[in-house]
Amino acid sequence: MSGRSVEPYVVRGHALDGQQMSAVTDDSPTQLVIAGAGTGKTTTLIGKVRHLVEQGEDPSRILMISLTNNTVADLRGAVEAEFGPDFPADVMTIHALGNRIYGRRPCVGSVRNGILKRIMYDLVQEDRPSARALMAYIDGMRQAGSSDLSLNGTFIRERGLRTVADALFRCGIGCGYSKAVQSRDGTSPAYISVDHGGVRFELRSDDPAVIDAGRRPGSCYELIGRMGLDCSPINVNDLASNVLMAWNDRIPESIGALISRCKCTRTSIRDLRRANDCNPSSVRATVADKLDLLNRIWDLYTLECIGGDMADYDDMVIQSAESVRAGGDPGKGYDHVLIDEYQDVSPILVDLVRALRERMGFGLFCVGDDWQSIYSFSGGDVWQFYDFGSVWKGWGEPSVRRIETTYRCPQQVVEMTSRFVSKNPMQQRKDVRGLSSSESPPVILLPVDSDRGIARMVANRLDHIPAEESVFVIGRTRNDIYAFGGGSSQFRFGQSDARGSGTVDVTYRRWDEDCADWRDVRDLTFLTAHSSKGLEADNVFILVDRDRGGFPSTLSTDIDELFRTRDEGIPYPEERRVLYVAMTRARKRVFLVNRMDDESYALSSETPFMSELIEDNGAMITRSTPFCGECFGPMRIVSYGGRTFYGCCDYPNCRGTREFKGF
């Protein structure tokens, strides 16, 4: 359709912009649309479908692929809203496509965790080296994101209590846990309670012996003995079995994800062993034991699948590609395949699409944002995006288009985030533009000196955000939610919802003097950066740095580090993209919550990414950063005497104030 003007399509209630129209009306056989955050990727996909239909293409021979069940549901909903519920185009995950092609064997699906759990239980019960290796694997899981999870399966924020609970569990003794409770009169400390063999006692988090246990774990057994209990550890086989059961599906999910990553990236245990040979001798043997355990679990899992005539999702994709290349029936034919979120595709996904294209010769339309490629841990490979031309060279030179107008973020946020993420030399250059600029600075730095200040600083800002505006709080890991006091009093946690285990509904409450109780004020949502992808809110609080983890996160298991990665020419390339995803969820304001240097809050940060953001965007952030001119400490918003202003958090010791002009 090049060479003549075309009226812009109206898709999802919006007229496509010039770049979107150029992309959807381009009839090249192989296309890559390079997008920015909030630039309308789904709208562009729907626009492409409309163009194909208007060109006379049969909609029943159009396939749309997205990567997860959630994104497929969103895409299918958009298709139905645009074309009606009976529109015959197929919308599915690549795994569902593999399942349909290679559907001669039922899918393992939801029973995979149960199979893996049973295999592991039998192994650790019968074999001491396997039990030791599983305990080492569990220690690695705790170091890489589950540090608050006790061996007994309970999240215990306080290190001393958690250490004592672990020691009790190693002795075959259970305990209860009660969180700290905040009230207007202060905070009652968290405690664990024990009722075992006629011995009952409680230990509080502020008990000197408990605090000492957090510093010297070996002292726990002395403490247990003083409380009148036998402190003899149980054997490692029973311990590993008990942890496996106490942690529910966490361990089989982790092992299953590791096996899946190996399959998606075509990485064998032999490959991981070779990489481990380069490890220091001090860790090589422990990792080798874990790899031996993983190898045994994988072999037994494969045998169980074969014996039950089942296949898992990854095998269906791999075996479907092999079947199609060997001349097998690929099933339904397609003339056009559209792939969403192409920046996170795995090598096996691309391999299946290539095999099908070799048989069918369909047109290929891919949309993605390499600045948002954040799923390498589950097999995503951004190099499939970087190397798009060479991957699809058998079908001629691909057409590359860009969509660069974001309909989400203010221009100031666009400039800051683009400058930050584009420092990766491998990534595609883009000129992302926002449609609007905020009259008041949309990037607000909230300095804190410890985790304890996070809830206070966020609560203070929530009091001054209009009630009708939505709020996200984004952390790097699920543990970051515990910065809000464990879900009691001022912040109450709800249940994780269908968007994923990294998403929790939170209610913010204020103390009501009239009824002497906490009163619900507003709802907000806590999300991990990964679970926030694809979502947006008016206001986004990001916990940039915490005592553990943060951005960039350096927490990873020793096995994760064995997977081969290609150098992108900059430290922490994916972590940079993760923070970019978090910041670009904001429609109006980004609040960066971060620990700052005690000597000069306004100038430095303990977080490398935050230091970079301040250095590169100092004028933007400084104008909106509430630093006390008297003591250089953090400030809060105060309403008093009919006016609203910034007041020093150290009041009454410091009486510094600053004018508040609104967000």
Side-chain angles (χ1 to χ4, degrees):
M1 296 186 66
S2 59
R4 63 187 182 89
S5 61
V6 180
E7 283 296 317
Y9 294 158
V10 176
V11 177
R12 308 178 79 192
H14 302 281
L16 298 188
D17 63 36
Q19 287 185 315
Q20 291 171 332
M21 277 296 294
S22 294
V24 303
T25 57
D26 184 341
D27 293 322
S28 301
T30 306
Q31 292 177 257
L32 175 64
V33 178
I34 300 171
T39 57
K41 292 185 288 293
T42 300
T43 298
T44 302
L45 280 165
I46 301 301
K48 184 65 176 181
V49 174
R50 175 175 169 179
H51 172 69
L52 292 172
V53 172
E54 290 191 357
Q55 290 293 98
E57 299 290 347
D58 181 354
S60 69
R61 293 182 64 83
I62 297 174
L63 169 64
M64 305 180 75
I65 295 173
S66 196
L67 301 186
T68 69
N69 290 330
N70 286 340
T71 57
V72 163
D74 292 341
L75 188 56
R76 184 177 290 119
V79 170
E80 291 180 356
E82 192 71 21
F83 302 106
D86 298 325
F87 192 71
D90 287 336
V91 186
M92 63 182 67
T93 65
I94 192 69
H95 299 105
L97 178 62
N99 188 6
R100 192 176 70 186
I101 296 172
Y102 203 74
R104 287 171 289 173
R105 294 165 62 187
C107 182
V108 171
S110 60
V111 303
R112 185 182 73 168
N113 284 342
I115 293 172
L116 290 171
K117 192 171 188 177
R118 185 173 66 253
I119 288 170
M120 285 186 279
Y121 187 87
D122 291 343
L123 276 175
V124 300
Q125 277 285 294
E126 299 168 359
D127 183 65
R128 190 170 294 269
S130 293
R132 290 198 185 99
L134 184 62
M135 289 306 302
Y137 184 85
I138 290 166
D139 287 342
M141 288 179 63
R142 297 176 82 187
Q143 294 169 15
S146 299
S147 55
D148 287 344
L149 187 58
S150 170
L151 293 179
N152 65 20
T154 303
F155 281 99
I156 300 178
R157 168 69 172 155
E158 299 77 15
R159 183 172 61 180
L161 289 181
R162 186 173 62 254
T163 305
V164 175
D166 285 349
L168 288 165
F169 198 76
R170 290 180 184 276
C171 296
I173 302 169
C175 67
Y177 170 66
S178 297
K179 300 174 182 177
V181 177
Q182 301 171 355
S183 70
R184 299 293 290 181
D185 300 324
T187 301
S188 60
Y191 64 91
I192 58 174
S193 56
V194 176
D195 184 352
H196 182 82
V199 177
R200 296 184 179 88
F201 61 86
E202 293 180 354
L203 291 171
R204 303 191 338 168
S205 59
D206 59 354
D207 187 315
V210 173
I211 295 172
D212 183 53
R215 298 169 180 156
R216 298 188 306 117
S219 68
C220 289
Y221 297 98
E222 300 172 10
L223 176 58
I224 294 171
R226 289 200 303 271
M227 304 308 294
L229 292 174
D230 179 8
C231 52
S232 301
I234 61 177
N235 68 70
V236 70
N237 301 79
D238 289 338
L239 176 62
S241 301
N242 291 346
V243 177
L244 183 62
M245 302 308 293
W247 280 30
N248 296 317
D249 284 341
R250 288 187 180 90
I251 300 170
E253 280 178 356
S254 177
I255 293 289
L258 190 53
I259 293 172
S260 178
R261 182 178 181 182
C262 287
K263 292 179 178 180
C264 286
T265 58
R266 303 192 188 95
T267 302
S268 66
I269 296 295
R270 180 180 296 178
D271 295 328
L272 297 178
R273 284 178 173 143
R274 287 171 180 161
N276 186 45
D277 289 340
C278 300
N279 267 331
S281 58
S282 58
V283 299
R284 190 180 305 152
T286 301
V287 176
D289 290 342
K290 295 181 187 179
L291 293 177
D292 287 343
L293 175 64
L294 177 63
N295 193 41
R296 294 186 68 183
I297 295 170
W298 192 347
D299 283 346
L300 292 169
Y301 169 67
T302 301
L303 289 173
E304 182 123 3
C305 288
I306 293 172
D309 194 30
M310 298 180 293
D312 64 20
Y313 291 125
D314 302 312
D315 284 336
M316 286 183 170
V317 174
I318 294 167
Q319 293 166 5
S320 294
E322 293 173 350
S323 173
V324 170
R325 284 210 169 93
D329 182 9
K332 183 178 179 180
Y334 296 103
D335 296 325
H336 297 276
V337 172
L338 288 64
I339 303 179
D340 189 17
E341 304 287 358
Y342 192 83
Q343 75 280 350
D344 287 316
V345 297
S346 67
I348 64 170
L349 181 154
V350 172
D351 192 48
L352 176 55
V353 176
R354 281 178 59 87
L356 291 171
R357 196 177 192 193
E358 288 164 359
R359 291 284 296 276
M360 301 176 188
F362 48 70
L364 183 66
F365 182 85
C366 302
V367 180
D369 179 4
D370 56 318
W371 292 4
Q372 296 188 71
S373 179
I374 60 174
Y375 288 106
S376 65
F377 66 88
S378 61
D381 180 14
V382 70
W383 288 88
Q384 302 295 323
F385 192 102
Y386 294 160
D387 296 338
F388 188 87
S390 60
V391 169
W392 297 103
K393 63 182 178 181
W395 288 268
E397 186 70 21
S399 172
V400 178
R401 301 276 183 169
R402 284 171 168 75
I403 51 175
E404 299 168 304
T405 301
T406 178
Y407 298 89
R408 179 187 300 153
C409 303
Q411 179 62 23
Q412 297 98 316
V413 174
V414 171
E415 291 175 5
M416 180 186 72
T417 55
S418 297
R419 187 180 297 117
F420 174 73
V421 76
S422 62
K423 289 189 177 181
N424 184 335
M426 294 304 303
Q427 290 173 170
Q428 297 285 344
R429 302 297 95 186
K430 302 172 199 167
D431 181 21
V432 182
R433 303 171 297 276
L435 283 182
S436 62
S437 292
S438 176
E439 294 182 2
S440 57
V443 184
I444 299 95
L445 176 61
L446 301 184
V448 297
D449 55 9
S450 69
D451 276 1
R452 293 188 298 274
I454 293 175
R456 178 180 64 179
M457 194 65 79
V458 172
N460 179 247
R461 269 41 183 192
L462 289 174
D463 286 338
H464 297 274
I465 291 175
E468 67 274 10
E469 293 185 3
S470 55
V471 177
F472 284 170
V473 176
I474 299 179
R476 178 60 184 83
T477 71
R478 284 173 286 185
N479 281 348
D480 285 343
I481 195 171
Y482 293 103
F484 294 93
S488 61
S489 303
Q490 196 168 23
F491 291 93
R492 186 182 66 221
F493 301 164
Q495 298 296 317
S496 298
D497 63 24
R499 287 169 291 186
S501 58
T503 303
V504 180
D505 293 326
V506 180
T507 301
Y508 169 58
R509 309 191 295 178
R510 283 200 294 262
W511 182 259
D512 190 323
E513 296 288 355
D514 293 335
C515 61
D517 200 357
W518 295 96
R519 178 173 58 86
D520 293 354
V521 175
R522 70 182 308 145
D523 294 327
L524 53 142
T525 305
F526 171 85
L527 311 97
T528 63
H530 284 87
S531 61
S532 74
K533 190 170 180 295
L535 305 176
E536 57 186 51
D538 295 316
N539 302 275
V540 174
F541 292 82
I542 303 175
L543 309 186
V544 183
D545 176 62
R546 297 200 57 224
D547 288 342
R548 298 183 311 279
F551 299 88
S553 173
T554 57
L555 301 176
S556 62
T557 69
D558 42 22
I559 295 180
D560 287 333
E561 294 173 356
L562 300 179
F563 283 85
R564 183 175 62 88
T565 57
R566 292 166 65 180
D567 184 17
E568 295 187 47
I570 193 170
Y572 308 117
E574 185 157 324
E575 284 298 306
R576 185 174 291 268
R577 294 192 287 266
V578 173
L579 180 53
Y580 171 80
V581 167
M583 291 190 291
T584 53
R585 301 309 94 197
R587 287 193 292 258
K588 291 186 176 181
R589 306 174 199 93
V590 178
F591 296 87
L592 301 172
V593 185
N594 185 68
R595 285 187 301 161
M596 306 296 288
D597 187 283
D598 289 338
E599 298 299 321
S600 180
Y601 281 98
L603 300 177
S604 63
S605 168
E606 299 178 14
T607 310
F609 281 174
M610 196 66 229
S611 294
E612 183 181 318
L613 286 168
I614 292 173
E615 181 178 350
D616 292 347
N617 307 276
M620 181 191 304
I621 295 179
T622 300
R623 284 198 302 271
S624 59
T625 303
F627 300 121
C628 178
E630 302 293 329
C631 69
F632 300 104
M635 305 188 83
R636 61 191 178 93
I637 303 172
V638 179
S639 294
Y640 181 76
R643 69 189 188 96
T644 299
F645 56 92
Y646 284 122
C648 183
C649 285
D650 199 29
Y651 178 87
N653 297 322
C654 177
R655 297 176 178 269
T657 63
R658 252 191 60 183
E659 182 182 4
F660 174 70
K661 298 181 180 180
F663 294 128

